[in-house]
Amino acid sequence: MRYVSTRGGNAPLRFTDTILTGLARDGGLFLPEQTPDVRAKLDAWRSLPYAGLAFEIMRLFADDIPENTLREIIRKSYATFRHAEVTPVVKAGDVHILELFHGPTLAFKDVALQFLGNLFEYALAKTGGEMNIVAATSGDTGSAAIYGVRGRARIRIFVMHPHGRVSPVQERQMTTVLDDNVRNLAVEGTFDDCQNIVKALFNDLAFRDANKLGAVNSINWARVLAQVVYYFYAAFRVQEATGAAHVRFAVPTGNFGDIFAGYVAHRMGLPIDKLVLATNENDILARYFDTGAYRLGDVAPTLSPSMDIQVASNFERYLYYLAGENPEALNGWMDAFRKTGALTPGIADHPCFAAGRGDTAMTLAAIRTYWQQHRRLLDPHTAVGVAVAERFLDPAAPMICLATAHPAKFGDAITRATGQNLARHPLLDALMDMPTRMTVVPADTSAVAAIITGA
Ligand SMILES: *Cc1c(COP(=O)(O)O)cnc(C)c1O
C-alpha cells in the first residue's frame, strides 16, 4: 500500500515513511492510494479480540512492517488499557455507548497515540534516526501524545497548549510528566494559534528537515488508522447484541479526525448507514453538512474544549474524496478557503453523513438525563454526541455513541449538570499533589522554533 498527498505534490510513500513524514511536504495530508474492500472478511473478523482485529485491519495498510513486529506493536499498545476489551460497548437507554477512555490518560486519543508511540520507536530504531515531535493541543491530545512517547529513546516532544485555556486537570496531566524528553509550552494565545505555529514550522521545509520534525496531531495517518479499528469492533458487538444489519455512529467532532476514521471504515465496507457528526457551538462542520458551505466563524469556549475548533485539519481528507480524488480541484478549494475563509464544495450525493449541533444547554441536559435515568455519567464531549444522536434514532439501525473522555476529566461540567461532584478518578486525584513543569511562550513561531533548536 502506498500513500499519496491530497495536494498531489508528494511522491507516493510506503506506510512507515508516511508515518514518519506526518504532514506531506506539499502541505497536504496523506491518504492510501486505494481503500481496501473488506466486505468478504467481515464474518471471519467478528469473533476476534480487539488486538487481533486491529492486526487484521492494520496489516492491510501497514504492509511494509513484518507481521510479527506489527502484532507485537499492537499488543504493547493496547496492554496499557485498563479494560480487557480495550474499547467496550455498553447499552444506555436507546443508544449504545462505545467507551474509548480506558487508556492511560482517560481519553480516546490514547487509542491512537499509544500505537503511534510504539510505531515511532520501531521506525526510528530501524532507520537509526531521531525525531522532535511538535504538537498543538486544545487539551486531550497533549497528554495522550506525551504518554505515547514519554521516556522513549530517539524522541523528544514539544507540546503547545493555549495558556490557561485547558482545564486544570488536562494541564496537570501534561505538566506532571517530568521525563527529560518532554517539554510543555504554554502559548499565550488560542488553540488555533498553537495549531498555526505547528503548521508554520512544518511548512518551513529547511527547519523541518534540520530538526527532524515529526507530527502526532490527527493529521498523522497512523492516528486515523488506529481509530478505524474501534468502529469495526463496536459494530460487531452491537450487531451481535441486536442482530441489526446496519449500525449508526454519533461522533463528537472537532478536527474531523475521529469521524473521518468512521468514514474510512464505511468506505472499507463496514455496514454503517449513518455517521452523525456532532459539534458544540463551534459548528463550522455541522453548518457545512447542512448547507454545503464551509465558512469560518469565531472560536467560542464551551464545556467541550477539545471541540472548540474552527478549521478542522482532517476535513481536507474528506474534501479530497469529494473532489473525486483530484488534487487540482482540492487545491482550488483550499486556495479559495485561504483567501476568503469560505469554500462551497456542495454536499456529496451519497449521504452517509448527518450533522447537528449540541449547545451548552443540550449538553448539560444530556448529562443530567443519562445520570438520572440510566446512572451513566457522560463527559461533555460525549454528551454533545448523545444529544445530537437522539435526533437520528432509527430502530432498524442501532446508534453507537462514541464516549471520547472519562467524565472525571471534566468534573466541573458534571457538577453543573447534576448538582453533585460525582465524577472522580483516582488517577486524576493523584495528579493534584505531583510536581509540574512548563514554559510560557508568546504566540510566535520563532520563539517556539528557538526552544526546539535549543537556541
Ligand atoms: C479530540 C477530542 C474530540 C474531537 O476529536 P476529533 O478527532 O478532533 O474530531 C472529542 N472529544 C474529546 C474528549 C477529544 O479529546
Side-chain angles (χ1 to χ4, degrees):
M1 177 78 76
R2 297 191 311 167
Y3 292 82
V4 293
S5 166
T6 48
R7 301 197 189 167
N10 201 114
L13 298 178
R14 300 291 299 272
F15 177 77
T16 306
D17 288 330
T18 303
I19 298 324
L20 289 174
T21 308
L23 187 68
R25 298 182 71 81
D26 58 1
L29 279 71
F30 286 110
L31 279 171
E33 258 178 344
Q34 315 88 31
T35 303
D37 179 346
V38 302
R39 280 174 296 181
K41 302 183 176 161
L42 294 178
D43 281 330
W45 286 0
R46 280 179 199 285
S47 54
L48 294 173
Y50 191 92
L53 178 62
F55 172 72
E56 293 300 332
I57 293 171
M58 289 175 173
R59 70 197 287 221
L60 302 173
F61 293 91
D63 55 2
D64 58 346
I65 300 181
E67 292 202 341
N68 284 340
T69 307
L70 181 61
R71 259 192 210 283
E72 180 54 16
I73 290 173
I74 293 168
R75 188 199 62 75
K76 274 199 287 198
S77 302
Y78 298 112
T80 57
F81 280 61
R82 289 182 192 77
H83 197 290
E85 277 196 82
V86 183
T87 63
V89 184
V90 298
K91 185 92 201 304
D94 293 332
V95 304
H96 302 262
I97 307 271
L98 169 55
E99 294 185 346
L100 300 173
F101 50 71
H102 294 284
T105 73
L106 311 181
F108 91 98
K109 291 184 171 83
D110 289 323
V111 177
L113 286 161
Q114 288 289 304
F115 174 65
L116 189 61
N118 283 300
L119 204 56
F120 278 155
E121 188 171 66
Y122 155 77
L124 292 170
K126 199 176 110 183
T127 60
E130 292 187 357
M131 181 184 275
N132 284 311
I133 293 171
V134 183
T137 185
S138 58
D140 282 351
T141 307
S143 54
I146 288 169
Y147 275 78
V149 303
R150 65 183 295 185
R152 291 186 196 269
R154 303 175 183 279
I155 301 176
R156 291 196 299 163
I157 184 167
F158 299 85
V159 174
M160 281 172 256
H161 69 265
H163 188 29
R165 295 193 192 208
V166 300
S167 78
V169 167
Q170 287 178 320
E171 185 180 306
R172 289 202 149 250
Q173 280 191 300
M174 295 189 279
T175 59
T176 51
V177 179
L178 304 179
D179 298 70
D180 285 343
N181 69 331
V182 174
R183 287 293 297 275
N184 280 290
L185 308 180
V187 172
E188 296 171 316
T190 64
F191 170 65
D192 282 334
D193 291 327
C194 299
Q195 193 155 259
N196 286 336
I197 294 173
V198 173
K199 282 193 184 146
L201 292 171
F202 272 86
N203 288 334
D204 180 345
L205 296 183
F207 182 86
R208 174 175 169 180
D209 290 343
N211 294 283
K212 302 185 168 56
L213 297 195
V216 293
N217 281 53
S218 59
I219 52 175
N220 196 303
W221 170 256
R223 284 191 57 180
V224 176
L225 176 58
Q227 292 172 195
V228 169
V229 175
Y230 53 66
Y231 283 90
F232 281 85
Y233 188 80
F236 292 158
R237 296 294 77 73
V238 170
Q239 286 186 304
E240 245 162 42
T242 64
H246 288 81
V247 294
R248 300 185 166 185
F249 285 94
V251 189
T253 304
N255 260 320
F256 204 77
D258 200 4
I259 196 163
F260 183 76
Y263 182 62
V264 172
H266 167 77
R267 290 176 63 89
M268 290 169 72
L270 186 66
I272 299 174
D273 84 333
K274 260 197 201 326
L275 285 164
V276 177
L277 178 149
T279 67
N280 60 28
E281 284 89 339
N282 299 295
D283 62 351
I284 180 170
L285 287 165
R287 283 186 281 118
Y288 162 72
F289 282 101
D290 277 347
T291 65
Y294 184 73
R295 204 178 299 280
L296 213 53
D298 293 326
V299 186
T302 71
L303 295 177
S304 41
S306 296
M307 296 153 61
D308 290 347
I309 284 162
Q310 281 295 339
V311 183
S313 49
N314 264 288
F315 192 54
E316 179 167 339
R317 287 193 157 112
Y318 176 70
L319 288 174
Y320 177 76
Y321 287 126
L322 198 64
E325 303 183 44
N326 175 348
E328 283 82 58
L330 190 271
N331 278 317
W333 287 345
M334 297 314 290
D335 280 343
F337 186 68
R338 263 190 301 277
K339 286 184 191 125
T340 65
L343 66 94
T344 48
I347 302 174
D349 49 12
H350 53 96
C352 82
F353 283 96
R357 151 186 162 132
D359 65 17
T360 300
M362 296 175 204
T363 305
L364 291 169
I367 295 172
R368 195 175 312 121
T369 306
Y370 273 70
W371 173 246
Q372 287 173 352
Q373 295 181 3
H374 312 300
R375 281 295 180 256
R376 298 263 337 157
L377 285 176
L378 308 176
D379 98 277
H381 305 77
T382 306
V384 169
V386 167
V388 175
E390 288 182 341
R391 295 172 221 159
F392 297 97
L393 295 180
D394 173 352
M399 180 67 81
I400 304 169
C401 295
L402 273 57
T404 51
H406 191 283
K409 292 193 85 165
F410 302 94
D412 290 350
I414 306 293
T415 306
R416 209 171 133 187
T418 64
Q420 300 169 72
N421 179 10
L422 296 168
R424 301 287 290 272
H425 194 288
L427 264 187
L428 302 181
D429 292 342
L431 294 176
M432 293 306 153
D433 301 324
M434 289 163 67
T436 63
R437 190 175 70 204
M438 70 178 189
T439 309
V440 179
V441 294
D444 171 40
T445 303
S446 52
V448 175
I451 290 175
I452 295 169
T453 54

